[in-house]
Amino acid sequence: MKRYWKTLLISFVSVMVIGFYYIQVAIAAKGDFTFKIETTSGNEAEIDNISLAAYYQRAFYQRQLNISKDGSNSINVNRSQIDYMFGQELPKIVKEYIEEHRQFMRGKQYYEENYFKDEDYLVYAAIQDFDQVRPGDLLTVEVDVLELKTNERSSFEIQTPAQESYNWMGVRDVFMQDGKIKIVATGSLVNSGEELRIFTVDEKSKVLQEDKLIVKVASEAGIVTNLYLHTNSNESLNDNYYLYEIKKYKKMEYGGPSNEYLSHQLYVYNKLKNEVEEIVIPAEIKPKMTFLYGAQVFMPTYSADGIELNHYSIETQQWEEPLHYDYTITVNKEEPPLVQLMDEKLYIVNRVAGEHLLYIGDLRTGESLYEGKITAEHNELSSNGKLHIASVLKNN
Amino acid sequence: MKNYLKLVHFEVNRFFKLYVIIMGLTIVSQIIGVIFESKAYLENTKRIMFENQLSFSEFIGEGYRGSPFDQFVNSGWALLPVFMCIVILMLYVFFIWYRDWFAKNTFIYRLLLLPTNRLTIYFAKMTTILLFVFGLIALQLILIPIELQIMNGIIPVDYRTNFSIYELFYFDLWTMLYPTTFMKFILSYGVGLICVAVLFTSILIERSFRLKGIFFAIVYGVLSFFVLIVPIFLMSLYPNYFYPLELLTIAFIISSIVLGIAIWLASYLLKYKITV
């Protein structure tokens, strides 16, 4: 045995050190940066089923975190080829589609907006990648339909009238109406400008029946024009509307938009009626953000008195009495607050004096439900980087 | 088993002196490097404060505080010894066989005449390479915290950003050498093991057929490489067609086939083609 000491030494040291390292890594990955949501007032049960998707930046390292009232767990952001093989983070609904329709989902893009599902059909539409388009080619849309009752599948491609005048075009939503597949797409044009189009495809004849240009915006001299499309992310809410905004900014010297916009137009597209209606924003409302939530449009404004949630009902076509929340927030221009509407509640995460504060309000009554803060736990690692909260997640 | 262990030890013994030398060079280079880079960082910090007329709190406030350990890990002091170890071990994959043929007294004849399965020689050499690789990986794992301690001893805490052990291995090179989970470590080094097996078999093909063998060995090596990267081709040619578990299964099956063929071919060549 003694004569084998060299081999035994290398083997023993390697196993011990590498083993110890991976045990350390496993422990560290769970808890080297620990944050949690701490209640300052209100009902703590409000945060039972939510967590905050966050990024933590320290020097050159970025860590993806999921913070809840019980603490945080971290996810490695730098993904290797092996990570890729182990699987990407997919939207929940796409995961469900993969579980239920494994064969149908093969080879598809995993963006939620490319899919539509009702009792009868699962429809997928994707626009050809621009890497595959040669100048002069017409853009094609790949459509795949699964009839859920018979499990029959039809795949086909349609050519759109769009040519190489586009820098990019992507599917923003897919839905079915009277047996027709509607593909909502936004595209940016080579000579600047953006478009919102709806392609109507007949599922039976597999042909493009209509290419409807909803809106086209072009940048003017000295002005930057942006088009924003809002869709209802929760389809269980009233999903009959799209909201799009056209914002014009003064162009800065280096080409980008200035912070203050010159004009702000708001339009609702009614899917059922195939009509566009303009929403006139009252002069006293100077919103920073716009939200489509079911058949309602919300625009929060902040003042020393609290939060005003301005509220427009698409169905009654009227601005309703704004909701008032007794919660003052200081807006940091460099890091605007995260505002989210979910489950009939208003969620706000705002950074004040290096600390993130969480506020939850009732979207129906304007009542304040919860106030809390995100605290770093136990070590200096958690406190000498920068935490960025990306969204509020609903846990199952 | 006893013969196998004896052979492994024999192979370890033959390379041990050189192995200790490259370990020593790594230790010396990295320890000198961390001291040198720490002092350079501190000098640079003082120079910035002096040139910009900054107080210490202004220096911190302006975001000048950097990560000296990054600077060290990306410097030649840390990287060159690592590359040296990789290159020497890659060369040794060839040398471990060819020295038996070309060294004094053509030692391979004595090895092949041992009363044991000839494939044991193949496995013993492969185990030796793996042991050397893991030994160097372990050495680096021991060195990093020591170097960090030395750096922390030189640079005051307020002048630097601290890191956890998990973050220390985020550098590109380290993530290659130390995959972020043990499972990925096994997968990465499993692929490494297959590559060593293919190279060993290629060497045996060359030894069996000499001049013609070089051509066969290259064809075999290239073919094995392409078969091995089939899952990556599948991923790029048919994005999202295969689900992660399917891709892993394909990769596992393909790797097993490539490794199996390499071992079978080596066994065949050692038994029937390499004669003494």
Side-chain angles (χ1 to χ4, degrees):
Chain A
M1 206 64 173
K2 208 172 161 187
R3 50 197 277 241
Y4 296 132
W5 72 269
K6 291 171 193 163
T7 311
L8 289 173
L9 180 73
I10 299 173
S11 313
F12 180 74
V13 171
S14 303
V15 170
M16 291 305 287
V17 173
I18 296 170
F20 181 72
Y21 168 70
Y22 278 104
I23 292 168
Q24 283 293 308
V25 165
I27 296 168
K30 279 186 189 149
D32 57 349
F33 300 97
T34 319
F35 295 90
K36 69 174 185 179
I37 310 172
E38 223 172 67
T39 305
T40 44
S41 68
N43 180 7
E44 198 178 331
E46 290 295 336
I47 57 165
D48 279 352
N49 291 319
I50 61 156
S51 60
L52 304 172
Y55 290 93
Y56 189 65
Q57 182 85 37
R58 272 167 40 83
F60 309 109
Y61 311 105
Q62 197 181 62
R63 188 76 57 84
Q64 200 176 327
L65 299 166
N66 203 331
I67 305 169
S68 70
K69 67 171 192 172
D70 301 321
S72 59
N73 52 22
S74 58
I75 305 147
N76 186 357
V77 177
N78 304 353
R79 297 180 81 86
S80 66
Q81 194 70 10
I82 298 174
D83 287 303
Y84 212 72
M85 286 178 79
F86 272 120
Q88 320 155 29
E89 274 299 306
L90 304 180
K92 196 172 150 238
I93 192 80
V94 174
K95 274 187 194 163
E96 279 175 27
Y97 293 160
I98 290 176
E99 277 165 27
E100 289 164 13
H101 315 285
R102 204 171 167 78
Q103 286 306 319
F104 177 81
M105 293 297 287
R106 283 188 188 278
K108 295 189 166 36
Q109 290 176 17
Y110 293 148
Y111 302 111
E112 200 176 334
E113 52 265 39
N114 291 63
Y115 296 88
F116 166 81
K117 192 179 181 187
D118 64 7
E119 286 169 359
D120 303 315
Y121 295 101
L122 173 60
V123 183
Y124 167 79
I127 295 178
Q128 180 185 20
D129 197 323
F130 263 79
D131 294 347
Q132 301 156 7
V133 182
R134 285 167 304 178
D137 280 357
L138 292 172
L139 278 182
T140 56
V141 181
E142 177 195 342
V143 183
D144 217 343
V145 182
L146 180 72
E147 214 170 312
L148 297 172
K149 281 173 189 147
T150 58
N151 219 18
E152 266 179 47
R153 180 178 165 176
S154 62
S155 304
F156 55 95
E157 282 188 351
I158 53 154
Q159 285 198 327
T160 72
Q163 292 190 40
E164 81 283 10
S165 52
Y166 286 88
N167 265 331
W168 173 87
M169 187 183 266
V171 170
R172 301 296 300 276
D173 195 24
V174 181
F175 63 97
M176 277 189 93
Q177 201 175 60
D178 308 326
K180 309 276 190 293
I181 299 166
K182 304 252 182 171
I183 300 157
V184 182
T186 50
S188 68
L189 298 158
V190 172
N191 300 321
S192 85
E194 290 171 289
E195 282 184 2
L196 171 62
R197 289 182 170 276
I198 299 186
F199 300 115
T200 305
V201 180
D202 182 45
E203 196 263 324
K204 298 232 161 27
S205 60
K206 299 175 180 41
V207 291
L208 177 69
Q209 282 197 328
E210 192 185 8
D211 167 23
K212 185 169 180 173
L213 177 69
I214 304 294
V215 61
K216 178 174 183 163
V217 295
S219 294
E220 302 152 47
I223 296 171
V224 177
T225 310
N226 285 336
L227 172 70
Y228 301 92
L229 177 71
H230 301 261
T231 56
N232 263 317
S233 56
N234 187 347
E235 290 190 3
S236 65
L237 297 167
N238 186 336
D239 193 26
N240 295 330
Y241 309 101
Y242 293 122
L243 184 73
Y244 61 89
E245 286 178 281
I246 300 169
K247 285 184 182 177
K248 290 187 178 180
Y249 306 85
K250 193 177 170 203
K251 195 181 265 182
M252 300 292 274
E253 271 178 31
Y254 49 85
S258 63
N259 283 334
E260 297 300 321
Y261 38 75
L262 299 169
S263 70
H264 184 185
Q265 289 160 289
L266 201 60
Y267 300 89
V268 169
Y269 175 76
N270 187 324
K271 283 157 93 176
L272 297 175
K273 293 183 187 163
N274 210 1
E275 281 174 358
V276 174
E277 174 214 334
E278 183 171 3
I279 301 174
V280 180
I281 307 167
E284 66 272 18
I285 300 176
K286 304 271 181 238
K288 295 285 179 208
M289 280 170 268
T290 308
F291 298 92
L292 173 67
Y293 189 79
Q296 301 163 93
V297 178
F298 289 99
M299 290 179 156
T301 49
Y302 318 108
S303 71
D305 296 334
I307 302 165
E308 293 289 319
L309 196 56
N310 303 287
H311 170 203
Y312 179 85
S313 163
I314 296 171
E315 276 156 6
T316 61
Q317 300 189 335
Q318 272 181 350
W319 286 93
E320 315 256 324
E321 194 59 33
L323 291 160
H324 179 84
Y325 298 90
D326 275 332
Y327 184 70
T328 312
I329 61 171
T330 318
V331 179
N332 174 0
K333 274 191 177 173
E334 283 171 17
E335 198 181 333
L338 164 75
V339 182
Q340 212 168 305
L341 307 183
M342 189 169 74
D343 294 340
E344 303 288 329
K345 283 171 196 161
L346 164 75
Y347 292 86
I348 297 184
V349 184
N350 193 33
R351 190 183 173 93
V352 180
E355 198 174 47
H356 284 92
L357 305 176
L358 169 66
Y359 173 80
I360 305 173
D362 194 309
L363 208 53
R364 290 161 298 192
T365 60
E367 188 191 344
S368 290
L369 301 171
Y370 177 88
E371 282 179 44
K373 60 183 180 180
I374 293 127
T375 52
E377 280 202 332
H378 79 68
N379 60 33
E380 61 150 340
L381 292 175
S382 305
S383 54
N384 66 27
K386 190 165 183 190
L387 187 69
H388 170 74
I389 310 292
S391 62
V392 182
L393 304 172
K394 187 180 164 185
N395 300 334
N396 289 323
Chain B
M1 193 63 184
K2 206 173 167 191
N3 286 333
Y4 162 75
L5 291 175
K6 272 184 184 170
L7 277 168
V8 171
H9 179 68
F10 172 74
E11 291 291 353
V12 168
N13 229 0
R14 289 168 98 191
F15 187 63
F16 197 71
K17 273 184 197 154
L18 184 60
Y19 191 58
V20 170
I21 291 171
I22 62 170
M23 279 179 137
L25 282 174
T26 306
I27 296 168
V28 170
S29 167
Q30 293 199 351
I31 299 289
I32 293 176
V34 78
I35 296 169
F36 182 85
E37 291 292 341
S38 303
K39 292 198 165 167
Y41 175 82
L42 214 51
E43 282 298 312
N44 197 36
T45 301
K46 286 175 186 165
R47 189 179 52 77
I48 292 170
M49 285 167 72
F50 175 73
E51 284 176 0
N52 297 293
Q53 293 294 298
L54 298 171
S55 67
F56 177 70
S57 49
E58 282 167 336
F59 171 82
I60 303 292
E62 296 280 325
Y64 281 111
R65 179 166 60 182
S67 155
F69 207 73
D70 270 18
Q71 194 176 310
F72 161 66
V73 170
N74 290 313
S75 72
W77 295 104
L79 291 179
L80 286 178
V82 174
F83 283 120
M84 175 193 73
C85 294
I86 294 172
V87 169
I88 289 178
L89 280 183
M90 278 167 80
L91 290 175
Y92 197 67
V93 168
F94 293 93
F95 196 67
I96 201 169
W97 285 100
Y98 283 112
R99 76 188 292 184
D100 292 342
W101 263 280
F102 298 116
K104 271 186 259 175
N105 307 323
T106 48
F107 190 75
I108 191 73
Y109 297 129
R110 286 168 65 191
L111 272 181
L112 293 172
L113 285 172
L114 286 174
T116 179
N117 187 340
R118 286 180 176 183
L119 204 55
T120 312
I121 303 166
Y122 180 92
F123 285 131
K125 287 184 189 294
M126 197 193 281
T127 311
T128 308
I129 298 287
L130 273 184
L131 271 182
F132 287 147
V133 170
F134 290 140
L136 289 174
I137 291 283
L139 172 73
Q140 193 61 66
L141 280 175
I142 296 169
L143 276 177
I144 292 267
I146 295 172
E147 288 157 2
L148 194 65
Q149 284 308 312
I150 295 173
M151 179 163 277
N152 290 352
I154 297 172
I155 303 171
V157 64
D158 291 335
Y159 286 80
R160 56 180 152 82
T161 308
N162 281 344
F163 297 106
S164 71
I165 184 164
Y166 190 59
E167 284 177 299
L168 289 177
F169 292 92
Y170 259 51
F171 305 102
D172 290 344
L173 175 70
W174 302 137
T175 47
M176 242 168 68
L177 295 177
Y178 307 95
T180 45
T181 64
F182 188 64
M183 183 47 118
K184 289 176 205 166
F185 180 87
I186 299 284
L187 283 171
S188 293
Y189 284 93
V191 171
L193 172 83
I194 294 167
C195 293
V196 171
V198 169
L199 278 175
F200 274 13
T201 305
S202 302
I203 292 166
L204 291 177
I205 294 173
E206 185 277 325
R207 287 289 83 199
S208 304
F209 303 101
R210 303 297 157 118
L211 215 55
K212 266 192 290 178
I214 296 176
F215 172 74
F216 292 146
I218 292 172
V219 170
Y220 162 74
V222 170
L223 214 66
S224 299
F225 174 74
F226 278 111
V227 172
L228 213 55
I229 60 168
V230 159
I232 295 170
F233 271 124
L234 288 176
M235 269 172 71
S236 352
L237 286 175
Y238 306 103
N240 297 340
Y241 187 82
F242 293 102
Y243 296 117
L245 201 60
E246 292 174 348
L247 270 175
L248 272 181
T249 311
I250 293 170
F252 180 75
I253 292 170
I254 284 176
S255 307
S256 306
I257 291 171
V258 172
L259 183 66
I261 289 176
I263 293 170
W264 175 81
L265 204 58
S267 163
Y268 175 82
L269 294 170
L270 282 166
K271 257 188 208 161
Y272 303 110
K273 290 290 173 191
I274 295 174
T275 50
V276 291

